[in-house]
Amino acid sequence: MKKKTLVPLIIFLLGICLVGLIVYKTDTHEKAERHTTAQLNATTYGERIKNEIISGIEITNTLEQILTSEDGEINHFDTIAENIISGSIASIQLAPDGIVTDIYPANGNEAGKIDLLHDKDRKEISCYARDHHTIITQGPFEFKQGGLGIAVRNPVYLKDENGQEYFWGFTIVILRIPDIFSDSIDAISNFGYEYRLSKTDTPWSDTYTIIEQSDGEMIHPVSYSFTIGEENWIFEVTPENGWRNTTLIAIIIGFFTLILLLLCGLTRMWLVSKENKNKFQILAHTDSLTNIHNRYRFDELAEEMIDKNPKEHFIAALLDIDDFKFINDIYGHVYGDRALKNLADNMKAFFPHDVVLGRNGGDEFCILLPNYTFKEAEELFQEFTKIPKTFTYKGKEYPFYISLGYAEYPTFAPNYAQLMRCADAALYEIKLHGKNGCMAYRKGLQSGVRKQLGFAFKDIAEHLPGAFIIYKADKKDDELFYANHEFLHMTGYKNIDEFFKLTKKRFRNLIREDEQQQIESSIWEQIDSGNENDYIHFHLRKADGSYLSVLDHGRIVESPQYGRVFYVLFMDWEDMHIHYKDKFSE
């Protein structure tokens, strides 16, 4: 009960910390996003304001070009000024030698005809413009008619008849504020920003004067700076609602708090179901009869171990109980299960703790040995297969035996799947060699054929009398696959390995050389004509090099692994004659 209360409380406290962190991160991110967007807008509209001011200044450049082309004279000034003036321009002026002589429109601007180079309010900055060859702006100042303006003075220099440059005077334009950049100001306001536009009082000053600003408070504004002539301007913006997205923060707090409460409510249910869940997981990965890993879990662990340690050596082994069907049939499945459980217990007791054990299903088991080589595994498996294994039936112990095949990674297999196929091939091979033992995989063994051909071999070996072999029905590659014990005994071969070695696994090497071509032609002539392979008489080579006169009878069958194969039964020619001679004499 204490745990069920404490764990949800801890989750709640940790959740509150997490919500606080999420809110902090979100708030920081939103502020950064808003700063980025605001900076982009300040740059964009600051640049537009600059261009709008420069477009007004261009009028002074136009007048300068006329003066240059007309040797310092402008005829029809009023007509020219009327054509280039716009609504954001209060007036256009000419000031030869620094004295304003021409103003358009003249009406209401008579007071503007002053000596700029000697006027106390305009002298210093006008002389700076003349001496430094730079455009200067001055203002803002109030118009008598109302509104604000900025004066732009452009110093004009001409050349005399000797090519010497001299100061002609100023071309001047008076800009209306904020009309000259009203489009940009309206746009930035519509985007929800407060703004402020300032400029330095003079080119040599660091003091800024506000040219235009909105009514709201400027909190930590971002800015964009630009230069006109030698004067610095700065355009600042800040969101009307501040840098924090309070609506989003409120939604996040509400949403995650609700999630946290639901999580705490579900924690109790999770704690109750956790124990059952762990039991189910164990059942899903464990073989219920033997209490070792099932094949799914074995594959999972084995692949994981090999993937994590690809340079180490691993040994995989497959083993099963010899003639397990016989145990089930004679003693019953209950005692077959006891044999399986006893085998699993033997494996757990015998192998090291770091070994992975599993049951594939039926009577087949699998083993993975980490950090083992062939030589080390051979001693281990030989010892294990020799350990007596029994099950009890009606108070009496009955022995059973196992066959085991194993393979090494990475010597013969580059991955786990191939490693298991090699171990399977080795298990199949030991079955062919009489069971009750272990065998290592070697090159040349066929993997994946035990289920396809093993059952057929067993049936033939147990239920068909006589000596027989099986080989591939191929004119160019008549590979030998199998020979039963009676055939090996009849021909004098010690075992199937010697048989394969001396014959080079070729059927034609069993036929006396002078008969090979005739016998092979006879066999394939019958097959190609669609007839069953009839009895054929020839001399069969024995292990000692001598020959035995035999009669063979073959049948072609389709193997899912090898395609067409021959099942061939051999009879001793002399024995048959003696046997049937005795029969006939009776």
Side-chain angles (χ1 to χ4, degrees), residues 82-95:
E82 183 180 6
N83 289 331
I84 60 177
I85 200 169
S86 64
S88 59
I89 306 298
S91 67
I92 300 173
Q93 304 174 10
L94 293 177

Side-chain angles (χ1 to χ4, degrees), residues 41-65:
N41 281 307
T43 302
T44 300
Y45 289 99
E47 189 66 20
R48 283 180 59 175
I49 288 171
K50 172 185 175 182
N51 292 334
E52 287 165 345
I53 295 172
I54 290 175
S55 67
I57 294 175
E58 284 297 321
I59 293 175
T60 64
N61 293 330
T62 301
L63 295 175
E64 180 182 4
Q65 292 174 7

Side-chain angles (χ1 to χ4, degrees), residues 18 59 93 100 122 156 209 228 236 242 258 272 274 291 317-318 335 339 363-364 383 435 440 504 551 553 564 575 581:
L18 180 60
I59 293 175
Q93 304 174 10
V100 179
R122 301 169 177 82
V156 177
T209 298
I228 298 177
E236 301 168 282
L258 178 62
V272 171
K274 182 180 178 181
N291 288 324
L318 289 175
Y335 294 95
D363 65 322
E364 186 171 272
E383 182 181 351
K435 310 176 185 177
K504 300 180 181 179
L551 190 67
H553 180 72
R564 296 199 304 173
D575 286 347
K581 180 179 178 181

Side-chain angles (χ1 to χ4, degrees), residues 21 40 102 133 143 155 282 323 326 352-353 361 370 404 408 451 462 525 564-565 583 585:
L21 179 62
L40 182 61
D102 298 280
H133 292 221
F143 294 124
I282 293 173
D323 302 312
F326 175 82
H353 293 295
L404 183 149
E408 182 182 0
K451 292 181 179 178
E462 292 181 357
E525 182 179 347
R564 296 199 304 173
V565 297
K583 288 284 185 181
S585 65

Side-chain angles (χ1 to χ4, degrees), residues 335-349:
Y335 294 95
D337 288 347
R338 289 184 183 179
L340 294 173
K341 191 175 186 309
N342 289 349
L343 176 57
D345 292 340
N346 288 341
M347 292 166 63
K348 287 186 283 188

Side-chain angles (χ1 to χ4, degrees), residues 509-521:
N509 292 335
L510 288 171
I511 306 170
R512 199 168 68 185
E513 292 183 4
D514 61 327
E515 296 177 340
Q516 284 178 357
Q517 185 174 355
Q518 177 190 350
I519 298 303
E520 288 181 327
S521 297

